[in-house]
Amino acid sequence: MAKKTPETEIKQKIYLSARKLFVEKGYHRTSIPDIVKDAGVSIGAIYHHFSSKEELARVIHEDAVESFLSRYQLYVDSQRTALGKIRGFVELMLSWADEDLITVNYLLHARPKEILDCNFTICTAEGLEAVKKIVEFGQKEGTFKDADQILLAAFISGPVMRLIELKTDGIITQPLSSIIDTTTQLIFDALKK
C-alpha cells in the first residue's frame, strides 16, 4: 500500500466512503457533504485529513495503482510465457474484482481526469503500459500476431473489463475467478499467430 494509506479510523471511514461514492455516483456528482453523510464524520474531519476532494481522489488513485502494479509483478511479471502472462493478468484482475470490486471499478471507471497525468478514460497509463508489455513479450516470443500493440492490448484488457462490468451489473453471478481459464484461452486464441 502507498504511504498515504489511511492510518486512523476516521481517515479510513472517509477514504472508504469517498471511494465507494466515486464509483457509485461519479467523482463530479459526489460532494463533500455526501462523503460526510456516508462516512458519519464532520466536514472538519475530512479537511483535517485531506485538503480537498481532489487530494482524496488522488490518494485513492495512487493506492489503487500501487496495488495494481504490485499484483501485476506477482501475477504477470513472474510468468515466463505469453500464455502464462495472459493468464496472470486475467487472474489478477478477475480475482481482485472478486475480492475488492469497488477498488477495481474505481481504477476502471471512476478516476477523475483532474488527478491523472494523462487523459485516459478507460484505463490508467500504468494499466495500458502493463498490458502493452504482455503484448511486446508475446510478439518477441513469436507467439502473438504482428499487429499494432494497442490493438492487441485492447484484446487483452477489453474482455476482462467487460466481464468485471457484467459482474458489477449482476449479470454474472458466479465468482469471476471461476472463469479465469476459459477467459485466458479465448484471449490467447485471439492473439496467437
Side-chain angles (χ1 to χ4, degrees):
M1 284 276 139
K3 59 184 174 245
K4 286 192 172 184
T5 299
E7 298 165 0
T8 67
E9 187 177 326
I10 292 172
K11 190 173 184 181
Q12 181 78 4
K13 284 181 180 181
I14 295 165
Y15 180 97
L16 294 174
S17 290
R19 187 183 64 177
K20 179 183 74 136
L21 291 170
F22 292 161
V23 169
E24 290 174 357
K25 297 175 67 170
Y27 172 79
H28 293 290
R29 290 187 306 272
T30 299
S31 66
I32 292 294
D34 293 334
I35 298 168
V36 165
K37 182 178 179 183
D38 190 78
V41 299
S42 68
I43 289 177
I46 290 178
Y47 288 111
H48 173 74
H49 293 287
F50 302 97
S51 63
S52 64
K53 184 173 84 167
E54 185 176 292
E55 182 201 355
L56 179 53
R58 183 171 282 112
V59 169
I60 293 167
H61 176 76
E62 289 170 358
D63 285 352
V65 167
E66 185 172 320
S67 183
F68 169 77
L69 294 174
S70 173
R71 289 167 185 263
Y72 185 90
Q73 187 173 30
L74 177 69
Y75 285 89
V76 181
D77 282 345
S78 62
Q79 300 300 316
R80 298 293 169 233
T81 65
L83 177 60
K85 288 184 180 293
I86 289 176
R87 188 186 194 293
F89 179 76
V90 171
E91 183 178 4
L92 178 172
M93 294 305 295
L94 298 187
S95 296
W96 191 15
D98 281 343
E99 296 166 23
D100 187 0
L101 191 55
I102 292 173
T103 298
V104 173
N105 273 317
Y106 182 85
L107 268 180
L108 296 179
H109 306 293
R111 299 155 346 303
K113 291 179 185 177
E114 293 86 341
I115 66 160
L116 302 175
D117 294 330
C118 61
N119 289 321
F120 290 108
T121 57
I122 295 177
C123 62
T124 65
E126 296 89 350
L128 177 61
E129 289 305 313
V131 176
K132 279 176 54 183
K133 281 177 25 182
I134 296 171
V135 171
E136 184 178 325
F137 181 91
Q139 287 178 328
K140 283 183 180 174
E141 185 184 67
T143 305
F144 291 168
K145 294 176 171 106
D146 293 320
D148 180 77
Q149 288 186 349
I150 297 291
L151 177 62
L152 295 182
F155 272 84
I156 296 172
S157 59
V160 171
M161 290 172 55
R162 183 63 178 139
L163 290 170
I164 293 167
E165 289 171 354
L166 292 171
K167 177 71 172 183
T168 300
D169 294 343
I171 295 168
I172 294 178
T173 57
Q174 80 257 37
L176 290 173
S177 56
S178 70
I179 58 173
I180 290 170
D181 290 334
T182 303
T183 304
T184 298
Q185 194 60 54
L186 290 169
I187 293 170
F188 184 73
D189 288 348
L191 299 180
K192 73 181 179 182
K193 285 184 174 181

